[in-house]
Amino acid sequence: MSHNLLQGKKGIIFGALNDQSIAWKVALKCHEQGAGIVLTNAPIALRMGEINKLAEAINAPVIGADVTNLSDINNLIEKSVEHFGGKIDFILHSVGMSMNMRKGNPYTDLNYDFTLKTMDISSISFHKVMQAAYQKDAMNDWGSIAALTYIAAQRVFPDYSEMADAKALLESIARSWGYHFGIKNKVRVNTISQSPTRTTAGGGVKGFDGFMDFAEKMSPLGNADADACADYVVTLFSDLTRYVTMQNLFHDGGYSSTGVTQTVIQQMEKQ
Ligand code: NAI
């Protein structure tokens, strides 16, 4: 249902790989609420071609950018401003990848070249995007920037491995930029800490099904799905949340504040 919450706003959405991606749902909902969008993803993801379906559905151009590559990011920001004929109101960073997880290396046996790559893709890229937008003065006053994160940044989830460290850095970068962008032109920066969600990146975490089931049982409202996450992102890009900044916002059905639930106790007692 559209309330035109983003009427006249323009934004860049990173990370729509397929129709399961959180970014894909965000793009659809932002479009539904009246926003103009530029889609971007890594060249290798673009070659898979799925994103073209989304681009067609929401009438958005696709501009390739490897988030680790500064000249790609600069080009993306410049081309987006050109496309919109003006500055940008919102940016979603929905990008993550662990090289060590992909290679099956446990946290106790990391390959550090891979770790640096993981940090570059999953965390430092957020800094790069904001620095490019800041230096090019590409954001409108009262704009909004958000990135997706996971509670493993605060608590140990062993199989989340080096991504826990990457997310902790990502959340810190959001706070620091929230300060600098707030001072510059009232742009807010937040991270959204989402429930486990069945996507390509999510499925890459070892034992994901058990993980998801546990979170479901530990959340009074149940796990938040990707559609609900997209709804929440829309509110953050709308003018209704102008003074929310430098926060890590849990979107997790209450999981992060729950010690234990009756369902989990009952399950333990059965064993
Ligand atoms: P996804 O696999 O659909 O999205 C990850 C995206 O990162 C893909 O579009 C991929 O192409 C992109 N990407 C990877 N390397 C890149 C590079 N070098 N340059 C540009 N883009 C690159 O999975 P999902 O779950 O939608 O992930 C989106 C965000 O949500 C990630 O930051 C993830 O960590 C976060 N998140 C996911 C949760 C889950 O359970 N799925 C839970 C909490 C947070």
Side-chain angles (χ1 to χ4, degrees), residues 32-71:
E32 192 181 299
Q33 295 295 335
I37 291 160
V38 166
L39 295 170
T40 181
N41 210 324
I44 190 167
L46 299 191
R47 281 200 287 279
M48 290 167 64
E50 287 281 298
I51 200 172
N52 296 328
K53 288 186 217 156
L54 175 64
E56 221 171 277
I58 65 171
N59 192 24
V62 181
I63 301 174
D66 178 333
V67 287
T68 62
N69 184 315
L70 267 183
S71 69

Side-chain angles (χ1 to χ4, degrees), residues 14-18 20-23 41-42 45 65-68 93-97 121 148-150 160 163 167 192-203 208:
F14 287 78
L17 180 67
N18 54 39
Q20 293 194 308
S21 298
I22 296 168
N41 210 324
D66 178 333
V67 287
T68 62
H93 178 285
S94 186
V95 174
M97 215 272 289
I121 294 175
L148 282 155
T149 186
Y150 185 59
Y160 205 66
M163 277 303 283
K167 291 303 192 192
I192 298 161
S193 191
Q194 165 66 8
S195 294
T197 313
R198 210 172 296 283
T199 62
T200 306
F208 185 75

Side-chain angles (χ1 to χ4, degrees), residues 107-124:
Y107 193 73
T108 48
D109 189 21
L110 292 181
N111 169 319
Y112 295 116
D113 291 331
F114 291 164
T115 299
L116 290 176
K117 192 81 187 150
T118 299
M119 297 292 155
D120 202 5
I121 294 175
S122 309
S123 327
I124 296 166

Side-chain angles (χ1 to χ4, degrees), residues 135-198:
Q135 291 184 355
K136 290 180 189 304
D137 194 23
M139 290 296 293
N140 272 323
D141 286 7
W142 297 105
S144 177
I145 300 175
L148 282 155
T149 186
Y150 185 59
I151 192 174
Q154 287 82 33
R155 312 230 191 110
V156 173
F157 292 77
D159 289 334
Y160 205 66
S161 190
E162 63 179 358
M163 277 303 283
D165 305 333
K167 291 303 192 192
L169 177 57
L170 181 82
E171 292 174 17
S172 176
I173 287 171
R175 263 188 308 276
S176 299
W177 268 111
Y179 172 82
H180 294 287
F181 246 133
I183 298 284
K184 177 172 158 47
N185 55 332
K186 312 278 187 197
V187 170
R188 57 201 187 277
V189 184
N190 296 288
T191 47
I192 298 161
S193 191
Q194 165 66 8
S195 294
T197 313
R198 210 172 296 283

